[in-house]
Amino acid sequence: MGLIQRVIEQRKIPTIGITLQKEVTMKVKPPRALFLRYPFGHPLGEAFHVRQQRTILIDALTGLETIREPGTILTPGYVWRRHAFD
Amino acid sequence: MGKIQDLKNAILVQLFKHLPWLAERWARGHQFVEGKGIPWAPLGKPLRESCIAMVTTAGVHLKSQPPFNMEDPDGDPTLRAFPADADKDDLTITHKYYDHSAADRDINVVLPIDRLRELTEEGFIGRIAPTLYSFMGHIDGPHLKTLMEETAPEVAERLLREGAEAVVLTPA
């Protein structure tokens, strides 16, 4: 996914990618990433968990404004099924 | 693909889902196309005024579109595009290399269209770009060239034409 992200950013559209694989992201080097230690298949968290999905999407969108250093990987550190998204 | 291989794949999918260290170990040993330099385009205006697009590699597509090819072990580098206001009931996922049982019940788990619509109504972002773009992850071998030289540039070009001012990408 990071490869596609890099191609889009090269066309001068800012991008951020959610990633569940930090090792891969560190190799592929997309411009901005949000890393979650979540299981595959769950980049926005759990089904029907609106607050969780919303928080993660807002985190990603906000990264578009706040990240200044190319290659930054934001790590909010939410713990799978344990973090309270209030 | 034979039944034994299907079973082996299903077991691997569950192992990778539940044992993150296994995925990390695999990633350390796997050859990736490593990035040289990092492309950079700053956001031109605040989010509340920006047109936001989404691209996913979770294998999402309209039920009326052809599914991604699951028979090729190197994956399928083709692209599916569908309207951002598509009805969720018209969407499906073709991807056997991850467990999408949660996303089958709630597509927002991999492609948060409802959440993005809500954030638009609240004025957090300006608007949603008209088209959503979807790939299947797990692309390898000769298909990487097709992805990098054909389908990914095509998506970038279409996003530009459609006025996308920032993109959120979601994996499987």
Side-chain angles (χ1 to χ4, degrees):
Chain A
M1 189 188 78
L3 294 173
I4 300 167
Q5 186 180 345
R6 287 173 57 95
V7 170
I8 296 170
E9 188 99 11
Q10 277 160 0
R11 291 303 307 269
K12 299 299 172 197
I13 308 175
T15 59
I16 187 159
I18 297 173
T19 174
L20 308 179
Q21 290 183 283
K22 199 169 188 177
E23 295 276 348
V24 178
T25 302
M26 287 167 71
K27 286 185 182 179
V28 177
K29 301 188 187 73
R32 303 171 199 78
L34 176 78
F35 168 67
L36 298 167
R37 192 175 284 277
Y38 278 10
F40 288 158
H42 293 267
L44 275 294
E46 296 157 76
F48 306 111
H49 196 322
V50 174
R51 282 199 306 273
Q52 178 174 211
Q53 296 168 357
R54 176 186 167 90
T55 302
I56 293 168
L57 182 58
I58 288 176
D59 285 349
L61 288 165
T62 306
L64 288 162
E65 281 188 334
T66 58
I67 293 173
R68 295 276 179 268
E69 183 68 28
T72 297
I73 302 175
L74 300 176
T75 308
Y78 305 136
V79 179
W80 174 245
R81 286 189 173 156
R82 300 225 174 121
H83 187 86
F85 290 89
D86 293 325
Chain B
M1 190 182 277
K3 278 185 180 163
I4 292 174
Q5 274 178 305
D6 279 344
L7 181 64
K8 186 178 154 201
N9 182 65
I11 292 168
L12 280 174
V13 163
Q14 291 303 322
L15 283 174
F16 275 97
K17 180 180 176 187
H18 295 289
L19 302 172
W21 59 266
L22 194 64
E24 284 164 20
R25 195 172 151 184
W26 168 80
R28 274 196 292 274
H30 191 79
Q31 285 276 2
F32 291 94
V33 181
E34 298 202 20
K36 291 185 182 66
I38 303 175
W40 185 254
L43 190 66
K45 50 186 169 182
L47 284 171
R48 64 179 181 278
E49 297 171 19
S50 296
C51 176
I52 307 294
M54 283 201 297
V55 174
T56 185
T57 56
V60 182
H61 59 89
L62 290 172
K63 288 173 183 166
S64 58
Q65 292 174 322
F68 290 100
N69 177 11
M70 288 294 116
E71 299 309 313
D72 188 330
D74 288 328
D76 180 346
T78 61
L79 167 71
R80 302 291 179 275
F82 46 90
D85 60 359
D87 191 321
K88 282 185 297 176
D89 290 340
D90 294 334
L91 298 174
T92 189
I93 296 172
T94 302
H95 201 311
K96 70 176 182 188
Y97 298 107
Y98 80 99
D99 177 354
H100 47 83
S101 52
D104 288 339
R105 290 185 285 127
D106 177 10
I107 196 71
N108 292 288
V109 167
V110 293
L111 185 67
I113 47 178
D114 287 329
R115 304 294 84 78
L116 198 64
R117 288 169 187 163
E118 289 156 10
L119 292 176
T120 311
E121 285 165 18
E122 294 167 27
F124 189 88
I125 65 165
R127 60 197 167 90
I128 303 174
T131 310
L132 298 170
Y133 294 97
S134 178
F135 294 88
M136 162 202 169
H138 197 83
I139 296 164
D140 210 345
H143 296 327
L144 273 173
K145 186 173 157 68
T146 309
L147 179 73
M148 294 304 290
E149 295 181 7
E150 293 175 32
T151 35
E154 181 190 336
V155 166
E157 186 59 41
R158 288 174 69 167
L159 287 166
L160 268 180
R161 273 209 310 268
E162 292 171 351
E165 291 165 313
V167 183
V168 176
L169 294 97
T170 59

